[in-house]
Amino acid sequence: MAGVLSGLKRLYLTIYNWTVFVGWLQVFFLAVKTLKESGHQHVYDAVEKPLLLAQSAAILEIIHGLVGLVRSPVSATLPQIGSRLYVAWGILWSFPEVRTHVLVSSLVISWSITEIIRYSFFGTKEAFGSAPSWLLWLRYSTFLLLYPTGITSEVGLIYNALPFIKESAKYSVLMPNKWNFSFDYYYVAFVVLGVYVPGSPHMYTYMLGQRKKALSKSKKE
């Protein structure tokens, strides 16, 4: 029985990883194609649907960690996925004014390359029990460049959205109202930006530690 459950788990995770891999591959292809043919102003419109689907699918990874399907700690997974969902839905989807910014292109390229490598690595590992050394190296090395470019793009887009968040008052609950309650989405954006200050170096340091551990283990094997 345990063997059957283990097999089903591996099958599910294999299908999940390769399905999301295809989604991010589509995002990357459309982004590069649009950059070449139309310019950065049109990148978001070209990738919107696959981007939102692929990024939203990552919510399942939090569930995977909570139920024990994977060993990744939820404490590390949740902030990364949460910040990306905030940028994807709470900024880009919610405020069209920032969609033509050049940082959308650097964001999409950074995210998609990272995820193409990550999902192919885990998809291969689940399907065959291990991944080739070159893919392992890519999985634990490309973040050295792509994490800073991705984070810079995220922060830059949130910052550029601030005037539009304030002007529109979208998602805000203003006083007076029958609930005697107020909520200002504009200040939420500032809080999120503030979290990036300690959060980004912490995550980068965490990933450096993961890289050292993974590559050292690979050399021993």
Side-chain angles (χ1 to χ4, degrees):
M1 185 63 179
V4 173
L5 289 175
S6 178
L8 288 174
K9 169 189 160 185
R10 286 186 62 181
L11 177 62
Y12 164 73
L13 289 174
T14 299
I15 293 171
Y16 168 78
N17 282 294
W18 284 113
T19 300
V20 184
F21 163 83
V22 170
W24 281 110
L25 190 64
Q26 184 181 8
V27 171
F28 179 74
F29 172 77
L30 291 172
V32 172
K33 182 174 182 287
T34 305
L35 274 172
K36 184 179 178 181
E37 296 177 356
S38 310
H40 71 266
Q41 299 91 340
H42 304 282
V43 167
Y44 180 82
D45 290 336
V47 305
E48 181 181 41
K49 288 182 180 179
L51 173 67
L52 293 175
L53 281 171
Q55 189 54 65
S56 297
I59 294 172
L60 289 171
E61 293 180 37
I62 299 171
I63 299 172
H64 295 164
L66 287 172
V67 301
L69 274 179
V70 297
R71 289 182 293 178
S72 301
V74 176
S75 59
T77 307
L78 186 59
Q80 288 180 299
I81 294 173
S83 63
R84 283 190 175 200
L85 287 171
Y86 173 74
V87 173
W89 287 100
I91 298 297
L92 292 175
W93 184 79
S94 299
F95 300 97
E97 298 89 345
V98 298
R99 294 177 185 174
T100 56
H101 200 284
V102 68
L103 286 175
V104 173
S105 298
S106 57
L107 177 87
V108 170
I109 296 295
S110 298
W111 282 7
S112 58
I113 294 176
T114 298
E115 300 300 45
I116 286 168
I117 293 169
R118 188 167 73 89
Y119 284 108
S120 62
F121 172 77
F122 286 116
T124 303
K125 200 172 178 182
E126 290 295 341
F128 303 106
S130 63
S133 58
W134 61 267
L135 188 53
L136 175 73
W137 186 88
L138 286 174
R139 164 71 182 94
Y140 289 102
S141 299
T142 50
F143 80 88
L144 294 168
L145 172 64
L146 296 174
Y147 186 78
T149 58
I151 287 294
T152 301
S153 302
E154 291 173 33
V155 170
L157 287 168
I158 297 170
Y159 178 79
N160 277 280
L162 287 174
F164 308 111
I165 296 173
K166 187 174 185 179
E167 183 181 356
S168 68
K170 201 170 194 176
Y171 306 134
S172 296
V173 180
L174 306 178
M175 294 282 281
N177 57 68
K178 63 181 180 180
W179 300 288
N180 198 32
F181 166 81
S182 66
F183 172 80
D184 199 327
Y185 194 66
Y186 178 68
Y187 292 110
V188 170
F190 273 105
V191 171
V192 173
L193 285 173
V195 171
Y196 273 95
V197 177
S200 300
H202 173 74
M203 284 305 304
Y204 197 72
T205 302
Y206 170 78
M207 289 188 290
L208 284 172
Q210 292 296 101
R211 179 179 189 269
K212 183 178 179 181
K213 188 188 300 182
L215 296 184
S216 296
K217 185 179 177 182
S218 175
K219 286 178 181 178
K220 290 178 183 177
E221 294 175 351

